[in-house]
Amino acid sequence: ALDGNLWFTEGFGNKIGHISPFLGRITEFPVPTPNSEPTGITMGPDFAVWFTELVGNKIGRIPLFGLGAIQEFPLPTPNSAPALITSGPDGALWFTEAIGNKIGRITICGSIAEFAVPTPDSQPIGITSGPDEALWFTEQNGNKIGRLSIF
């Protein structure tokens, strides 16, 4: 990250943390929603750290350096199980909804949109931005790689 730290999630600890690679010092930040199981994490285009809350059914945002409160954004689909998250080429964050069978998009202002995966019950998990300006994702139960063109 731009702050020189390595950021990580503590799923069962319900925290976001970072470690200084030079000092070895760990700093932890409790997630406001109890037992939310933070899972995926990425640096956003706004220089904040964004993460998924697998059980909490939210997307979280923590300012860089941990300076400021954690924000949480509830997802429209109940119990969708947001798994992993990535920065997209459009300046938004994109994430998978494993149980919801959708790909989600959240702007840095917190506006959320969801896109259904065509394969029924495919359980999308992994996601990344490709060199073709599309989002690529894994379908755990669908045994496929999916592609979402955003432009």
Side-chain angles (χ1 to χ4, degrees):
L2 295 176
D3 64 358
N5 292 308
L6 300 170
W7 287 80
F8 55 90
T9 59
E10 296 179 38
F12 297 124
N14 209 53
K15 297 175 185 172
I16 302 301
H18 67 65
I19 184 169
S20 165
F22 303 108
L23 303 175
R25 192 174 99 221
I26 294 175
T27 305
E28 298 172 311
F29 307 92
V31 175
T33 300
N35 305 311
S36 68
E37 290 190 29
T39 304
I41 192 165
T42 194
M43 178 66 64
D46 59 347
F47 306 114
V49 176
W50 290 78
F51 58 94
T52 60
E53 296 181 37
L54 187 70
V55 176
N57 207 52
K58 298 175 183 177
I59 301 299
R61 178 188 180 276
I62 185 168
L64 199 59
F65 299 101
L67 301 173
I70 290 178
Q71 293 176 281
E72 294 178 297
F73 305 93
L75 298 184
T77 301
N79 303 312
S80 65
L84 298 182
I85 189 166
T86 191
S87 287
D90 60 347
L93 290 299
W94 291 81
F95 54 93
T96 54
E97 297 181 38
I99 303 300
N101 208 50
K102 297 176 182 176
I103 302 300
R105 178 186 187 268
I106 185 168
T107 66
I108 59 172
C109 296
S111 178
I112 297 173
E114 297 173 308
F115 305 89
V117 175
T119 307
D121 301 316
S122 70
Q123 289 191 354
I125 302 290
I127 189 166
T128 193
S129 292
D132 57 353
E133 296 189 330
L135 279 300
W136 291 81
F137 57 94
T138 60
E139 295 181 43
Q140 181 174 297
N141 284 349
N143 198 31
K144 296 178 182 179
I145 302 293
R147 180 182 182 274
L148 177 61
S149 177
I150 60 173
F151 293 113

